[in-house]
């Protein structure tokens, strides 16, 4: 007969489990405790291409950053370069600006459940305009960007 035990938990608190196993009056070893194995997957932000960092977005393109978190009563916070984006309260973010984006998920009680960040970079506008007849080739554009930046 399965026995199920539950208790309210406080986020961030360390808990210990103590089990007492008893045997019936016979000499047979016929008692056991089985604890189901589980794993909490880490939060990983990805862009619309499935990359966890993307410094090679073509200028003018829109990037959707996905947390993979299901919308819920939890609180979602987005930051760009360490600055809170107060109007961004969903599990995903759409942007056209480069930066380091950070996502945090909190319980309604204010306990942080998860955090991750992603780097989004865009090719230089001037360079993109000069090469506007070519399709965006991120690696080539990044190489040219580095050459131009070093000369400036």
């Amino acid at each position: 007969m399965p026995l199920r035990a539950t208790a309210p938990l406080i986020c961030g608190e360390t808990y210990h489990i103590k089990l007492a196993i008893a045997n019936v009056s016979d000499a047979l070893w016929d008692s056991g405790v089985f604890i189901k194995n589980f794993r909490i997957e880490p939060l990983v932000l990805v862009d619309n291409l499935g990359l966890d960092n993307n410094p090679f977005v073509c200028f003018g393109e829109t990037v959707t950053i996905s947390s993979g978190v299901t919308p819920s009563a939890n609180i979602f916070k987005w930051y760009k370069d360490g600055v809170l984006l107060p109007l961004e309260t969903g599990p995903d973010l759409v942007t056209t600006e480069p930066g380091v984006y950070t996502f945090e998920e909190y319980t309604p009680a204010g306990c942080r459940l998860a955090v991750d960040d992603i780097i989004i970079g865009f090719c230089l506008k001037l360079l993109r305009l000069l090469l506007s007849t070519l399709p965006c080739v991120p690696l080539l554009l990044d190489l040219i960007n580095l050459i131009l930046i070093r000369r400036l």
Side-chain angles (χ1 to χ4, degrees), residues 6-71:
T6 62
L9 301 177
I10 299 172
C11 186
E13 190 72 29
T14 301
Y15 292 91
H16 302 277
I17 298 175
K18 293 183 181 182
L19 300 174
I21 302 172
N23 198 12
V24 293
S25 60
D26 60 24
L28 300 174
W29 297 95
D30 53 6
S31 296
V33 175
F34 301 93
I35 299 175
K36 182 178 177 182
N37 185 17
F38 69 95
R39 176 181 165 92
I40 299 173
E41 294 296 326
L43 174 70
V44 177
L45 296 177
V46 294
D47 68 5
N48 42 324
L49 298 175
L51 302 174
D52 60 0
N53 280 306
N54 191 352
F56 305 116
V57 178
C58 292
F59 176 79
E61 289 186 8
T62 300
V63 176
T64 301
I65 304 171
S66 175
S67 68
V69 174
T70 304

Side-chain angles (χ1 to χ4, degrees), residues 26-145:
D26 60 24
L28 300 174
W29 297 95
D30 53 6
S31 296
V33 175
F34 301 93
I35 299 175
K36 182 178 177 182
N37 185 17
F38 69 95
R39 176 181 165 92
I40 299 173
E41 294 296 326
L43 174 70
V44 177
L45 296 177
V46 294
D47 68 5
N48 42 324
L49 298 175
L51 302 174
D52 60 0
N53 280 306
N54 191 352
F56 305 116
V57 178
C58 292
F59 176 79
E61 289 186 8
T62 300
V63 176
T64 301
I65 304 171
S66 175
S67 68
V69 174
T70 304
S72 66
N74 287 344
I75 299 163
F76 305 122
K77 292 183 179 181
W78 285 96
Y79 298 83
K80 179 184 176 280
D81 299 323
V83 177
L84 178 66
L85 302 172
L87 300 178
E88 299 295 339
T89 58
D92 299 330
L93 175 82
V94 177
T95 187
T96 57
E97 297 180 18
V100 177
Y101 290 87
T102 303
F103 173 80
E104 296 178 342
E105 180 183 10
Y106 293 84
T107 65
C111 181
R112 188 168 78 178
L113 296 174
V115 63
D116 192 29
D117 58 26
I118 184 171
I119 298 171
I120 301 294
F122 286 82
C123 300
L124 290 176
K125 180 178 181 179
L126 176 62
L127 183 60
R128 182 66 184 127
L129 292 174
L130 292 174
L131 299 174
S132 61
T133 58
L134 300 174
C136 182
V137 182
L139 294 176
L140 173 63
L141 290 176
D142 190 54
L143 177 62
I144 295 171
N145 281 342

